Amino acid sequence: MPPESSLVLDPALVVGLGNPGVEYARHRHNVGAMVLDELARRCGVTLNRHKARALVADVRLGIQPGGAPGPRAVLARPTTYMNESGGPVAALASFYSIVPAAVVAVHDDLELDFGAVRVKRGGGEGGHNGLRALSSALKTRDYVRIRVGIGRPPGRQSPGDFVLREFSAVERKELALVLSDAADLVEELVVGGSPDPAAR
């Protein structure tokens, strides 16, 4: 049973944000989609095309105390570009009758050091086009974010160019561990409940 300071996410809609196509697959901006793929791998499922313009799988995520399968979750990766992610996510939330508060958006975050993984509910979008699209389509900012740190651009490189580049050779050596840590956090969140700001 989740602590009093959390909100139950059952079912949850777990969204991995990124851009479609092989040319974007390894970019920093796609780390949310990479985490989503890791979750699908753990569950032993293949993401299937949905009419909402997304790849989805309906799963039981994580393990509850005692070893029982975790709560139901819908894994989703929009097949649209990042700034158009809101439409597919809102459509999936409606299709599966999932309230915005049970949406978990996994995304890259420039404000965190590479490898850092944090969870937060609500708040601003920090200039992230995917989060802006979600907030607009869901008509609320009250959803959960799993923030996966990608670090800051070096020198005078623009953030826009930085996120659309692949991870460095050094970062790639650690990337699998980062994706695993983020997937662990998603599972813990879905099983244990999302932070409730009103209870803090």
Side-chain angles (χ1 to χ4, degrees):
M1 185 172 178
E4 293 181 3
S5 61
S6 66
L7 299 173
V8 176
L9 303 179
D10 187 5
L13 173 57
V14 181
V15 181
L17 292 178
N19 286 312
V22 294
E23 66 269 38
Y24 298 103
R26 298 180 180 275
H27 289 177
R28 291 180 174 89
H29 217 21
N30 270 45
V31 75
M34 295 177 196
V35 174
L36 200 283
D37 288 342
E38 168 62 15
L39 289 167
R41 185 196 65 77
R42 291 182 179 190
C43 293
V45 298
T46 299
L47 301 173
N48 296 308
R49 291 198 172 274
H50 192 281
K51 63 182 180 181
R53 296 181 296 159
L55 300 173
V56 305
D58 198 334
V59 302
R60 291 280 175 178
L61 199 58
I63 303 295
Q64 299 189 73
R72 178 178 171 228
V74 177
L75 305 181
R77 181 151 51 89
T79 55
T80 58
Y81 286 100
M82 183 76 81
N83 62 353
E84 299 173 338
S85 300
V89 173
L92 288 171
S94 176
F95 182 86
Y96 287 101
S97 299
I98 296 173
V99 297
V103 172
V104 180
V106 189
H107 66 92
D108 58 300
D109 196 311
L110 283 164
E111 299 304 320
L112 294 178
D113 291 340
F114 171 78
V117 182
R118 302 286 185 270
V119 59
K120 88 171 191 179
R121 171 179 286 281
E125 293 91 5
H128 195 287
N129 288 333
L131 295 182
R132 284 176 176 167
L134 263 64
S135 297
S136 177
L138 295 172
K139 297 181 171 54
T140 181
R141 291 177 172 175
D142 184 30
Y143 53 90
V144 183
R145 300 95 184 276
I146 299 291
R147 306 165 60 205
V148 184
I150 60 171
R152 295 292 299 172
R156 297 184 179 180
Q157 186 178 17
S158 75
D161 288 340
F162 180 70
V163 300
L164 294 178
R165 296 284 178 91
E166 294 189 11
F167 289 99
S168 70
V170 173
E171 290 169 336
R172 287 197 295 272
K173 292 179 180 178
E174 301 179 25
L175 185 57
L177 180 59
V178 175
L179 300 180
S180 180
D181 286 347
D184 287 347
L185 183 55
V186 173
E187 290 183 346
E188 292 167 9
L189 184 69
V190 171
V191 172
S194 148
D196 180 1
R200 292 177 181 173

